[in-house]
Amino acid sequence: MRLDVEIPSGQDTLAAWLYLPDLPETAPTPPVIVMAHGLGGIRQMRLDAYAERFTAAGYAALAFDYRHFGASTGEPRQLLDVKLQLADWATAIAYARSRPEVDPDRVVLWGTSFGGGHVIATGARDTRVAAVIAQCPFTDGLASGLAMDPLTSVKIGARAARDVIAARLGKAPVMVSTAGPLHSAALMATADAVPGYLALVDAEARAAGFDNQVAARVVFDILRHRPGRQAKRVRCPILFNICETDSVAPAKATLRHARTAPRVEIRLYPEGHFDIYLGEAFERVVADQLEFLTRHIPTTQPRTATS
């Protein structure tokens, strides 16, 4: 069963799907997996495919859109603010714990790409989280910046500076493409970015408000953002699904950060950043995630006494 829910977050509202498994009345209250996407991504860009697999295995799932994106409220549209998105994660987790249909002490965080970095940071802060899954995670803004084409760096840096000035003057944001061709003014300007990223966008995603651009000011925040540094503070089990040929979140930096987590498990895939959402690669990664969940957060575990 999938329910459309709305979650207040600050002065805005997060749009979300709550998936509930079909369980016998005598079954333990299920764990819940809180989920969100990466740079400019919304729920309709394949989060439902993962959530449906988790629900079929007996888990509940809550997939939400960040404020300023998709069906969530927030103006200006397409404003990617790291602090606000981390606040949205905290809000979504609190909402999940408030639902009587799920076990509040068995909350799992699942994030992909930029959201993969958010779940590392959130898992480090929230010691009540039961487990974390970070899929092709963004862990190091410096590493991603150094991997960027120099011409692209100049182009997006200029737009970011203009957008910062526009924001101070109260003007409309200066936008930058989220995914674009090699050498273009895009946050992800690699050979596989346009075909890979846009392969996740179908008619439903476009109808839900998908837009391949964000306010350019986020460029400076991204370069400073290094959530991988917080992996060493994640005390619960954490799974890193890492793409070995990742053009956006370099695998070398991700592995370096991942290995600092006390209870880390690492799975490597011979694919690029955008490949593991579809086809055979998707099947392998979601199977690994379910195996991890089954071992650490089994659905058959009775509800905790403190719940």
Side-chain angles (χ1 to χ4, degrees):
M1 176 167 54
R2 190 178 87 179
L3 306 175
D4 291 314
V5 298
E6 295 183 343
I7 309 169
S9 188
Q11 297 181 344
D12 294 303
T13 300
L14 307 181
W17 292 323
L18 176 64
Y19 290 80
L20 297 174
D22 184 12
L23 299 174
E25 292 184 6
T26 56
T29 308
V32 59
I33 303 169
V34 181
M35 310 174 65
H37 225 302
L39 279 174
I42 60 176
R43 294 168 292 160
Q44 288 80 4
M45 295 168 66
R46 294 286 292 172
L47 290 197
D48 52 348
Y50 291 90
E52 287 166 5
R53 292 299 184 88
F54 298 148
T55 307
Y59 297 88
L62 179 72
F64 71 93
D65 286 336
Y66 300 109
R67 69 184 96 178
H68 303 282
F69 290 89
S72 294
T73 65
E75 295 292 338
R77 302 306 294 166
Q78 305 301 114
L79 176 64
L80 201 167
D81 185 295
V82 173
K83 290 182 179 179
L84 290 180
Q85 291 197 346
L86 288 171
D88 290 343
W89 270 100
T91 296
I93 292 167
Y95 175 81
R97 287 177 174 146
S98 75
R99 296 288 307 205
E101 304 96 333
V102 307
D103 186 341
D105 287 316
R106 291 195 292 159
V107 174
V108 178
L109 309 185
W110 185 101
T112 189
S113 192
F114 207 62
H118 288 339
V119 295
I120 298 169
T122 302
R125 295 176 183 178
D126 188 338
T127 58
R128 193 179 171 191
V129 167
V132 174
I133 297 174
Q135 176 176 282
C136 57
F138 171 94
T139 60
D140 196 306
L142 179 59
S144 292
L146 290 173
M148 189 176 291
D149 171 70
L151 183 57
T152 291
S153 298
V154 171
K155 289 179 178 179
I156 65 173
R159 291 199 183 188
R162 287 168 51 204
D163 189 36
V164 169
I165 295 171
R168 291 176 179 174
L169 296 176
K171 296 184 177 181
V174 176
M175 309 302 283
V176 63
S177 295
T178 309
L182 195 64
H183 309 309
S184 67
L187 297 180
M188 298 182 290
T190 60
D192 60 342
V194 171
Y197 188 68
L198 297 186
L200 309 180
V201 182
D202 58 14
E204 184 181 2
R206 295 189 185 282
F210 170 77
D211 191 350
N212 186 32
Q213 60 179 355
V214 297
R217 70 196 73 170
V218 74
V219 168
F220 299 128
D221 288 338
I222 288 175
L223 293 174
R224 293 190 296 264
H225 191 42
R226 304 183 77 183
R229 288 182 165 184
Q230 299 184 55
K232 60 181 177 290
R233 295 174 47 222
V234 179
R235 299 302 170 186
C236 64
I238 179 169
L239 173 64
F240 280 78
N241 302 113
I242 301 174
C243 297
E244 293 178 293
T245 60
D246 199 315
S247 61
V248 175
K252 183 178 179 179
T254 301
L255 281 167
R256 182 176 71 249
H257 291 302
R259 288 169 178 151
T260 68
R263 301 178 65 185
V264 69
E265 296 183 24
I266 297 171
R267 301 288 184 273
L268 299 175
Y269 306 90
E271 277 91 20
H273 187 81
F274 305 99
D275 297 327
I276 59 176
Y277 298 93
L278 297 163
E280 193 270 337
F282 163 77
E283 297 295 341
R284 280 187 281 116
V285 74
V286 79
D288 286 344
Q289 292 171 1
L290 284 168
E291 190 275 334
F292 170 83
L293 289 168
T294 301
R295 280 189 291 110
H296 292 288
I297 316 294
T299 59
T300 54
Q301 179 179 319
R303 186 168 178 153
T304 55
T306 57
S307 300

